[in-house]
Amino acid sequence: NEFGLGDHILVSPVIKAGQKKVKTYLPEGKWYSFWNDQVYWGKRIHKIGVGSYTFPLLIRAGAVIPLRPVAQYVDQTSPKRLDLHVYAYSGKQGVVSKLYEDEGEGYEFLDGGYKDKEFVVVGSDTTLHIHQSQEGDFEEQYQDYDVVIHGLEYDPASAIIDGESVK
């Protein structure tokens, strides 16, 4: 019954009233619960608990998931920062996540009025690298990212953004 939302999100819906657990098959790799960061390994079936307002929503290790405040329509809010949820990954082959943004209406995207961002996450047992590239001329409403890293199994010794050390 599970289904994917893009390459990095897997949903396993609750299909029976009162159900306490849902059997969920996960593809190969490491997966995190969106709700509590519990780790699940792929290529097997898991019985995942269901809460009053939660269901199995799993994120692939290495994914970058952008989140912004809830809005009823595109122009309702103008966030100053975009939350980037990064799920720790250990592997030489990078995990690619994409974010496409434009005005949300009109045809300006045809003339470059869009922003297409690509995030690549590469990690090891002691490092986590997040690389961003982008194209397009669209000017986002936010100026900064709040980066939330999930599942990091070590305390970072440093963080470097655009070549500068940050806290």
Side-chain angles (χ1 to χ4, degrees):
N1 292 322
E2 57 271 355
F3 61 91
L5 291 175
D7 295 334
H8 304 310
I9 300 175
L10 189 124
V11 179
S12 189
V14 178
I15 56 174
K16 295 179 187 171
Q19 200 168 356
K20 300 288 185 214
K21 292 190 176 203
V22 176
K23 284 185 180 179
T24 303
Y25 175 79
L26 293 176
E28 185 174 4
K30 185 177 185 179
W31 294 81
Y32 294 91
S33 167
F34 176 82
W35 309 111
N36 61 17
D37 290 341
Q38 182 172 341
V39 172
Y40 297 92
W41 290 96
K43 292 184 80 173
R44 63 184 72 141
I45 295 173
H46 295 272
K47 290 183 181 178
I48 301 175
V50 174
S52 298
Y53 299 99
T54 63
F55 53 92
L57 179 61
L58 300 145
I59 312 296
R60 183 186 304 274
V64 176
I65 307 294
L67 295 176
R68 57 183 286 173
V70 175
Q72 300 303 314
Y73 52 91
V74 173
D75 291 331
Q76 183 179 2
T77 61
S78 297
K80 300 295 180 220
R81 301 174 83 80
L82 180 68
D83 292 343
L84 291 181
H85 290 259
V86 180
Y87 290 82
Y89 169 76
S90 183
K92 293 178 183 173
Q93 182 177 359
V95 177
V96 177
S97 299
K98 294 187 175 262
L99 171 61
Y100 176 87
E101 298 175 287
D102 65 17
E103 285 291 333
E105 58 185 7
Y107 296 97
E108 289 83 8
F109 68 93
L110 294 172
D111 296 319
Y114 67 92
K115 186 74 69 162
D116 195 4
K117 296 181 181 182
E118 181 176 276
F119 300 95
V120 180
V121 175
V122 179
S124 71
D125 291 339
T126 59
T127 62
L128 183 69
H129 296 273
I130 307 163
H131 304 277
Q132 174 190 298
S133 60
Q134 56 188 349
E135 67 175 51
D137 297 327
F138 176 68
E139 190 139 338
E140 308 93 327
Q141 297 171 345
Y142 55 87
Q143 301 301 315
D144 296 306
Y145 297 131
D146 277 335
V147 178
V148 180
I149 299 177
H150 299 265
L152 199 60
E153 296 179 359
Y154 52 87
D155 291 328
S158 66
I160 300 170
I161 299 176
D162 295 332
E164 294 185 28
S165 207
V166 296
K167 289 186 175 192

